[in-house]
Amino acid sequence: GQQVMQIPQYQHVQEGEDFTTYCNSSTTLSNIQWYKQRPGGHPVFLIQLVKSGEVKKQKRLTFQFGEAKKNSSLHITATQTTDVGTYFCAGRGGSNYKLTFGKGTLLTVNP
Amino acid sequence: DAGVIQSPRHEVTEMGQEVTLRCKPISGHDYLFWYRQTMMRGLELLIYFNNNVPIDDSGMPEDRFSAKMPNASFSTLKIQPSEPRDSAVYFCASSLWPGKENSPLHFGNGTRLTVT
């Protein structure tokens, strides 16, 4: 079945440093979504990417979808303590409405 | 909008007991998903429904797990009998038609299940 791999598993940064998490799928995706889960919370939707090569920005967050629609990345510029949490990518393939989640990257930020 | 509502928030039970988790999706959402989250396996899709009908239950671990959606505003996930390895956080999520652009999953707060 479809597998979504995400790296790194953990990332610890100093406040103000940049952060990137990478997502790779074993199959071509129709779209990819990104979620953030704060410690003790539930996943909250951030964004969806649909088009090959698509780049979207939300303030300090930049999301990319690869040309082959099999990989994606999330980059945070100048991290803040409010960015702490686990970031998940989730891919959907073909006409199947199942959303397969990566295992997430836990980001901790040292103030 | 109250969001997706799950109950209970925490459940502690002994091995062998029956456990029932409940979910009320967002009104108007016709897709409902049950996920299980553990450190080892991450977020796993157990089953999803469309218009109250189970569409894909291939993620349900075994016959001890069952899920129902008797109407558009209520779903249950039952484990009988429960085992310690079932300990996890169980999330319910709902959405509009997933083929619609920007139709994200809206997650409930989850039920943390501990089986001793």
Side-chain angles (χ1 to χ4, degrees):
Chain A
Q2 182 178 299
Q3 290 187 332
V4 176
M5 310 299 290
Q6 198 172 345
I7 57 169
Q9 192 174 359
Y10 306 99
Q11 184 80 60
H12 178 72
V13 300
Q14 289 293 126
E15 190 171 21
E17 291 182 340
D18 292 356
F19 159 77
T20 305
T21 173
Y22 301 91
C23 184
N24 284 285
S25 170
S26 58
T27 59
T28 302
L29 301 170
S30 58
N31 62 66
I32 194 159
Q33 298 180 0
W34 285 89
Y35 291 77
K36 176 183 178 181
Q37 183 177 21
R38 294 185 185 274
H42 58 275
V44 175
F45 174 76
L46 294 176
I47 208 160
Q48 175 173 288
L49 304 171
V50 178
K51 300 175 184 174
S52 169
E54 188 170 13
V55 178
K56 287 189 177 180
K57 291 191 175 185
Q58 287 180 351
K59 297 182 180 178
R60 294 178 294 104
L61 278 59
T62 302
F63 303 84
Q64 293 189 342
F65 201 9
E67 294 289 341
K69 299 183 75 173
K70 295 181 73 173
N71 62 292
S72 181
S73 65
L74 158 60
H75 180 82
I76 302 178
T77 304
T79 54
Q80 300 175 358
T81 54
T82 52
D83 296 325
V84 164
T86 302
Y87 292 84
F88 293 95
C89 62
R92 183 173 279 137
S95 60
N96 190 321
Y97 292 142
K98 291 168 64 170
L99 200 59
T100 300
F101 280 78
K103 287 196 173 179
T105 297
L106 172 60
L107 171 65
T108 55
V109 180
N110 202 30
Chain B
D1 188 349
V4 175
I5 299 173
Q6 289 187 248
S7 65
R9 287 298 308 274
H10 302 274
E11 177 80 35
V12 181
T13 191
E14 291 184 347
M15 183 174 63
Q17 296 299 306
E18 178 180 293
V19 175
T20 300
L21 311 181
R22 297 173 176 80
C23 175
K24 176 178 168 53
I26 292 173
S27 177
H29 283 189
D30 47 14
Y31 282 80
L32 184 140
F33 303 80
W34 282 100
Y35 280 87
R36 177 173 68 176
Q37 186 175 39
T38 61
M39 287 293 292
M40 288 297 295
R41 300 173 70 91
L43 271 163
E44 302 173 276
L45 177 64
L46 301 177
I47 186 171
Y48 79 92
F49 295 82
N50 173 221
N51 289 326
N52 315 335
V53 176
I55 302 300
D56 188 333
D57 65 354
S58 59
M60 294 287 261
E62 47 198 271
D63 292 346
R64 297 184 298 106
F65 285 69
S66 63
K68 293 182 180 180
M69 192 164 186
N71 57 63
S73 59
F74 185 65
S75 177
T76 59
L77 177 67
K78 186 174 292 187
I79 308 172
Q80 166 63 19
S82 58
E83 296 182 3
R85 60 192 169 124
D86 302 331
S87 298
V89 179
Y90 290 81
F91 286 105
C92 174
S94 70
S95 77
L96 297 169
W97 176 52
K100 176 182 168 65
E101 187 161 339
N102 274 337
S103 178
L105 297 185
H106 296 260
F107 284 82
N109 288 327
T111 295
R112 181 174 294 277
L113 174 64
T114 303
V115 183
T116 61

